[in-house]
Amino acid sequence: MTTAGESSEKRRRKVGLLYDERMCKHDTPDGEDHPECPDRIKYIWEVLHLSGLAQRCVVLSGSKAEDKQLQLVHTKKHVNLVKSLSTKKKDSKRNKIASEFDSIYLNGGSSEAAYLAAGSVVEVAEKVAEGELDSGFAIVRPPGHHAEEDEAMGFCLFNNVAVAASYLLNQRKDLGIKKILIVDWDVHHGNGTQKMFWKDPRVLVFSVHRHDGGRFYPTGDDGDYDKVGEGAGEGFNINVPWEQGGCRDADYIAVWDHILIPVTKEFNPDIILLSAGFDAAIGDPLGGCSVTLYGYSVMLKKLMEFAQGKIVMALEGGYNLESVAESSLWCVHVLLEGKLFQSSIEEYTLDSTRRLVQAVRKRLCPYWPSLSDKLTWKPEAPFPVKHLSRCFFDLLLLLLTSFFFHMWMKGAKTIASSVHSIKQQVESLLASLEVALEEKEALQTRAVNAETKVAELQGEDKLRLKVSLDKYAAEAKVADEHLAQVCSELREVKIDLDFYRELFKKASEEKKLAEEHVIKFGDGLEKEASEKLSLKVSLDKYAAEAKVADEHLAQVSSELREVKIDLDFHRELFKKASEEKKLVEDQVIKFGDELQKEASEKLRLQISRDRYAEEVKEGAEHLAKVRSELREVQIDLNLHSELLKKASEVK
Ligand code: X5A
Ligand code: ZN
């Protein structure tokens, strides 16, 4: 047998790639996230171009399947139902239809995408069968392998691969395709495909999938290994049902080496259709297995030894965008080059894998004699070595695959470096934004602290201040009252004083009068002797009166002195009260100043807070700007790829 590897030395292998953006129109009706999203195929297409592999392939655009082709495996009713989706005006009608199926969403673009997905696999299969292409990859969605004769399910509307197989066998007999091998390495069981060729010996359906005792999607026992087909098709259906997740390259390769490859040798297909889901890949959110790029390329390479390398890959599941794109990239590389980067790698299988392989071989050996051969299994490694080797190869594979993936990306290096510089810019902007945010946070903390302090002031110090303020106010009031009292007392004292002054004046006048009288009497004594006695009596009388007046005067004088002492005392009191009042006023003013200072500090904090908010806003705008630049560079990048493509075409 001529291997594909040898033929690649004679001439370049022609690999078809089919992608049609209209298949992205199938999406969730309300824009909710869903693993089976348009980006899956968009991203594969992008990576194939960035790596430069797409430029080495024959690029085809999609075409819709004909109803006649679809009805080879589906009921007329089902075909019409999918067709009718596009004419429905409302999402609610489609939602109702979708709800009648298991794991199906529908929108206005679903019908067109489903027709394109099926038609595209038909187109690639036809070109490979004709020999126009050596092999091909139909990058399609929605996927197909769960879709049954009269039922959409598991994200699948039409069974794309089954339609293509049936089309080649039934409508293109001229192409001489008599035996078709369908290999389904999607992590889910290809229940639809199994049913469609259940009794058909022309189609050998092989599916390796998680079964988990019937609990993995699609649940039930249809995917178990005892389901081998019926009637003429008995023995032409092979299931390899994993008992659990965690399966890896070594497990898959063991199944290839000990089941699929020997059977394929015996069956000797004219063409191989590959239901290429990548949801068994490492990192897939649904699959829970760990197949690497290396595993996929080994499995594909082993299949290329058959059917003269006529392989038609059709995308099924696979929900980790990166895993799907990188696995696709490596498969296309294998199809183009017909060889692997490396041909063997040491790794041990799960313990359960050997038991499973033996059970499947036993069940199928009546139909495939080569499965009766004694199983030559790699010797088991002792416990720690086995364990360590799995870890070691995990690491090695990770390094190898990322290294080679990045080698493929070298073509886009210049663009990548400008993208890198923008990324750095964005990163530094993000860093400064972070700093600004931190500063803002610190300021906020400070403001909060200040507020707390003010609050505390209100709650405690302020209360204390208020108490003393109240105390001072009360004291000031008392002082005022005291002052008023002193003033009124002073007024009264003044009235008293006026009265005594009046009294004193009167007494002085009387004394003067009496003295004048005494002088008058003395003059009259000299004149009249007889009158002297009577005059003496009057003089005594006046003298006594004068004495009384003197005494009165002395009393008034002493009272006046006392009043003066009172007055001095009141004056002193008044002075003291005024001083106290002034002190209280000063304290009140000082406290007012402090309050005002605090208020202005708070205002200042508010202002700087606003300023930082402004800066953060500016930062966000700058970020948006850089993002849009990034988008432009992405456009450049696409342009560059386009140019590269053209250049290589010219070349
Ligand atoms: C094509 C495919 C998965 C469906 C899972 C439903 N379908 N839970 O991978
Ligand atoms: Zn799947």
Side-chain angles (χ1 to χ4, degrees), residues 103 143-146 154-156 186 188 217 279 286 316-319:
S103 306
H145 72 153
H146 293 308
F155 318 154
C156 305
D186 185 283
H188 302 96
Y217 190 89
D279 42 11
L286 267 55
E316 296 280 1
Y319 308 101

Side-chain angles (χ1 to χ4, degrees), residues 108-141:
S110 299
S111 181
E112 191 182 12
Y115 269 84
L116 278 166
S120 298
V121 180
V122 167
E123 191 184 328
V124 176
E126 189 172 46
K127 291 217 155 65
V128 173
E130 281 168 346
E132 199 182 315
L133 295 169
D134 291 297
S135 57
F137 181 21
I139 304 157
V140 297
R141 66 181 287 276

Side-chain angles (χ1 to χ4, degrees), residues 12 36 53 95 105 118 131 133 166 181 189 251 267 276 293 295 333 337 418 456 505 535 571 588 624 642 650:
R12 195 100 176 245
E36 206 288 279
L53 283 195
N95 286 344
Y105 65 76
L133 295 169
S166 195
L181 168 65
H189 177 225
D251 304 298
F267 180 61
L293 317 172
H333 173 70
E337 299 296 319
S418 71
E456 274 169 14
K505 202 179 141 193
L535 267 173
R571 214 169 256 158
V588 169
E642 203 60 44
V650 171

Side-chain angles (χ1 to χ4, degrees), residues 441-613:
E441 210 161 283
L443 257 161
Q444 269 171 342
T445 316
R446 270 179 61 195
V448 167
N449 283 347
E451 265 163 28
T452 319
K453 247 170 85 185
V454 170
E456 274 169 14
L457 267 175
Q458 272 160 359
E460 207 176 288
D461 285 351
K462 211 149 193 179
L463 190 70
R464 198 168 48 73
L465 276 164
K466 188 164 183 304
V467 167
S468 48
L469 187 72
D470 288 350
K471 210 180 98 202
Y472 283 121
E475 279 172 20
K477 204 180 145 207
V478 169
D480 269 344
E481 276 167 12
H482 192 186
L483 197 68
Q485 205 202 327
V486 167
C487 285
S488 91
E489 275 173 21
L490 265 172
R491 247 194 321 276
E492 273 168 36
V493 168
K494 191 163 179 296
I495 291 164
D496 270 11
L497 191 68
D498 288 349
F499 172 73
Y500 284 116
R501 217 171 249 158
E502 203 63 37
L503 217 70
F504 182 73
K505 202 179 141 193
K506 250 168 134 180
S508 303
E509 274 169 14
E510 271 178 39
K511 196 191 165 190
K512 206 183 156 197
L513 211 74
E515 273 169 359
E516 277 171 15
H517 275 285
V518 169
I519 291 162
K520 254 185 204 166
F521 277 115
D523 284 351
L525 204 66
E526 275 177 40
K527 276 179 207 170
E528 275 179 62
S530 58
E531 274 176 80
K532 265 188 183 170
L533 191 72
S534 64
L535 267 173
K536 194 181 174 305
V537 171
S538 310
L539 190 68
D540 287 349
K541 203 184 118 210
Y542 278 108
E545 275 178 19
K547 198 185 154 201
V548 170
D550 263 348
E551 277 170 10
H552 193 189
L553 190 69
Q555 201 203 327
V556 167
S557 292
S558 100
E559 275 177 18
L560 203 65
R561 247 197 320 279
E562 274 170 34
V563 166
K564 190 165 180 297
I565 288 163
D566 259 17
L567 190 70
D568 286 348
F569 172 71
H570 283 299
R571 214 169 256 158
E572 201 63 39
L573 264 177
F574 182 72
K575 203 176 132 199
K576 251 168 96 182
S578 303
E579 276 168 8
E580 268 176 40
K581 198 184 159 201
K582 198 170 163 256
L583 206 76
V584 169
E585 274 170 0
D586 282 353
Q587 267 167 330
V588 169
I589 285 165
K590 215 175 114 197
F591 179 65
D593 282 354
E594 269 171 31
L595 276 180
Q596 200 176 332
K597 224 174 96 192
E598 259 170 39
S600 80
E601 173 75 8
K602 245 172 100 179
L603 191 71
R604 205 171 54 73
L605 274 172
Q606 181 59 44
I607 286 164
S608 37
R609 233 180 355 194
D610 290 351
R611 197 162 58 82
Y612 274 103

